[in-house]
Amino acid sequence: MPRYSACIEWLFAEEGDRFPDRIRRAHAAGLTAIEFWRWSDKDLDAIEATLKETGLAVTSLVAEPMIALTDAANRQAWLKGLAESVTVARRLGAPVLIAQAGDDLPALSRQEQRRALTETLKAGADILAGSGVRLGVEPLNIRIDHVGYFLDSTREGLDIIDDVARPEIGIVYDIYHSAVMDERTEDVLDGRLDRIIHVHVADHPGRNEPGSGEIDLAHRLDWIFANDYDGAVGLEYRPTRPGADAVRGAIAALG
């Protein structure tokens, strides 16, 4: 069976709650894994204790700082933060860190930005080497959620990963972002699924729970798993209904 990971930035969240309580709610709902975004604004001691209490795993978190990797001037600051993020990921047992490329910078050509991104990722691979943690770069849609973002194409993202040519670096494939950009999963991933280290799902329109919109999420996931993807699937969507039953229904909609 697919391993589903609840993004507790949005799921199992209640107004004014303590972040570790979301882990407990995910566990009570039958989930075996969670993920979240930034680590620097959270109580890591409390999170670590709750993970041990519940036995839940962490599949991914964000590599900080979230600054443009398309600007070579940010390289050293980002690499320093990456080393700190690797330490946190290892502490929490997370095998994947997620990075965003950053905005398209009008003062630089696209070629210059792609070169900066590629060289920064190569340097990051040296920090990741031997740690057991991999970095996934995430293409995002520029039509709704991330206008002005540099990397909106899964194909280009995979080309960049091929240029980096390090096993420590891969792609986070978000089916929602891909579908918004009119990509067909089997077209953009054909022959290169081994570069995918984490998958996200949400439906469209609305970026809400699976089954609420028009994306053929079950079909796309079936293709991904039929082609030997063995990683987790992150439930990274904005829920329209609270509670465990709603999350179970979203999982059921994925087949």
Side-chain angles (χ1 to χ4, degrees):
M1 288 182 61
R3 185 187 195 195
Y4 292 108
S5 171
C7 177
I8 58 173
E9 300 287 349
W10 284 335
L11 300 185
F12 303 107
E14 296 181 4
E15 187 174 354
D17 67 359
R18 295 178 64 251
F19 201 75
D21 288 336
R22 303 180 190 186
I23 301 173
R24 295 186 180 96
R25 291 186 201 113
H27 176 253
L31 274 292
T32 60
I34 56 100
E35 58 187 82
F36 55 90
W37 299 335
R38 294 180 187 270
W39 54 265
S40 62
D41 60 354
K42 295 178 175 67
D43 184 340
L44 294 178
D45 289 339
I47 289 172
E48 184 177 25
T50 310
L51 292 171
K52 290 178 180 177
E53 170 194 322
T54 59
L56 262 62
V58 179
T59 58
S60 69
L61 54 143
V62 167
E64 297 188 53
M66 296 180 70
I67 53 179
L69 308 188
T70 47
D71 186 348
N74 289 334
R75 184 171 301 151
Q76 293 309 312
W78 185 77
L79 292 173
K80 180 177 181 294
L82 176 63
E84 295 169 352
S85 297
V86 169
T87 298
V88 173
R90 295 187 70 182
R91 174 181 175 181
L92 300 181
V96 174
L97 288 167
I98 298 177
Q100 296 182 356
D103 287 345
D104 191 359
L105 305 174
L108 299 173
S109 70
R110 192 159 186 89
Q111 183 179 16
E112 289 174 308
Q113 292 180 80
R114 178 163 166 169
R115 184 183 308 116
L117 174 58
T118 301
E119 293 304 315
T120 297
L121 292 174
K122 286 180 179 178
D126 290 336
I127 292 172
L128 292 156
S131 69
V133 179
R134 300 177 72 193
L135 182 81
V137 182
E138 189 171 21
L140 305 172
N141 84 78
I142 60 172
R143 294 177 174 172
I144 299 173
D145 303 276
H146 298 277
V147 176
Y149 185 68
F150 176 82
L151 188 60
D152 62 0
S153 163
T154 300
R155 279 197 178 94
E156 183 175 13
L158 290 165
D159 290 344
I160 290 169
I161 298 310
D162 287 349
D163 289 344
V164 173
R166 292 286 299 267
E168 297 87 358
I169 310 293
I171 287 287
V172 173
Y173 179 64
D174 190 309
I175 296 177
Y176 162 78
H177 289 299
S178 182
V180 170
M181 295 306 296
D182 295 326
E183 295 180 345
R184 295 179 71 246
T185 297
E186 53 266 48
D187 289 343
V188 296
L189 299 188
D190 188 35
R192 298 203 282 184
L193 192 63
D194 61 324
R195 283 76 155 177
I196 306 303
I197 63 175
H198 194 56
V199 171
H200 279 155
V201 294
D203 219 328
H204 175 66
R207 201 174 180 183
N208 301 130
E209 57 267 15
S212 66
E214 302 172 356
I215 303 177
D216 53 343
L217 292 169
H219 171 78
R220 291 175 186 247
L221 278 180
D222 283 348
W223 185 90
I224 287 171
F225 283 107
N227 285 273
D228 298 327
Y229 174 73
D230 61 358
V233 175
L235 305 171
E236 192 187 46
Y237 62 84
R238 297 185 181 96
T240 60
R241 296 184 296 120
D245 287 344
V247 176
R248 294 189 193 103
I251 292 173
L254 295 173

